Amino acid sequence: MNKTAKTSWVKQPFPLDLWRGFWVYALAIPAVIVILDQLTKYWAIRFFDVPHNICEINTRPGLSYEFSPIVDLALVCNPGISWGLLQGDSSLKRWALTIFAAVMCVVLLYVLAKSKDWLNRLSIALIIGGAIGNGIDRALYGAVTDFINFSDIGFRWVFNVADSAITCGVIGLIIASFVYKSDEAATEN
């Protein structure tokens, strides 16, 4: 075996390069979002001193706490999707939304693998983490636990960390579509 053949594998990038590669976006970032989401939901449920499965027991607990002039805590069980869309309580809808979220996570992982830029990858990772975080609640309790309330400043929706991650991810994808479209157009000219 010659010396170049012996050392050529050293020059190849490590396949699980966690700082620049696919895996940080496919696993690490979504895992951080899921952990933060589930911990904050657990904290909110403990704060209001209700059973962990409150959303399964009572979809309208009606609990709130005036935290500050800007943000309050309000325990809301959302059987729909982000921002209160697709409301209604049925077992079919619960499992259809759970399966849809799982399928979309797989599709997003495929899109993530094809993405070349960091903003698209980060945005997709945020959406995956948010979908998994809310999917866990929906699968276990039939509704998603929401608790962050900005109604004092006119924002009427109550949300959670997963909803925030999904929203930031969608905004990031929109921004990336303009930024990278402009870059592609500039390189073509």
Side-chain angles (χ1 to χ4, degrees):
M1 184 187 303
N2 66 29
K3 189 174 182 176
T4 57
K6 189 176 183 182
T7 60
S8 65
W9 67 271
V10 175
K11 295 180 181 179
Q12 298 298 318
F14 187 65
L16 297 177
D17 183 3
L18 290 178
W19 298 114
R20 288 180 283 148
F22 170 78
W23 297 107
V24 72
Y25 297 101
L27 294 176
I29 293 171
V32 168
I33 297 299
V34 170
I35 290 166
L36 285 173
D37 178 61
Q38 293 298 307
L39 285 175
T40 56
K41 287 173 182 173
Y42 177 80
W43 172 81
I45 288 168
R46 292 284 44 104
F47 180 83
F48 287 110
D49 196 27
V50 295
H52 194 71
N53 63 342
I54 185 66
C55 289
E56 195 172 36
I57 298 168
N58 178 7
T59 58
R60 305 226 184 264
L63 301 170
S64 64
Y65 177 79
E66 183 78 25
F67 189 72
S68 77
I70 297 171
V71 64
D72 299 330
L73 299 176
L75 192 59
V76 174
C77 298
N78 180 2
I81 60 174
S82 295
W83 313 114
L85 300 173
L86 297 178
Q87 289 297 308
D89 190 19
S90 80
S91 183
L92 176 64
K93 187 188 69 160
R94 168 189 184 176
W95 293 111
L97 287 174
T98 303
I99 292 168
F100 177 75
V103 169
M104 287 312 301
C105 284
V106 171
V107 169
L108 287 172
L109 284 171
Y110 175 78
V111 173
L112 179 65
K114 300 292 184 188
S115 294
K116 304 274 190 251
D117 61 89
W118 71 270
L119 183 55
N120 273 314
R121 285 182 163 194
L122 176 62
S123 300
I124 292 168
L126 291 172
I127 294 169
I128 291 170
I132 293 169
N134 281 343
I136 290 169
D137 280 15
R138 189 172 292 110
L140 293 177
Y141 309 117
V144 175
T145 305
D146 292 332
F147 60 93
I148 304 169
N149 181 2
F150 283 96
S151 63
D152 290 347
I153 59 170
F155 190 78
R156 68 181 188 104
W157 296 278
V158 180
F159 58 98
N160 59 42
V161 171
D163 293 335
S164 299
I166 291 168
T167 301
C168 290
V170 170
I171 291 168
L173 287 176
I174 292 168
I175 292 169
S177 73
F178 289 111
V179 169
Y180 294 108
K181 186 185 245 183
S182 307
D183 289 349
E184 289 172 8
T187 56
E188 287 176 5
N189 293 333

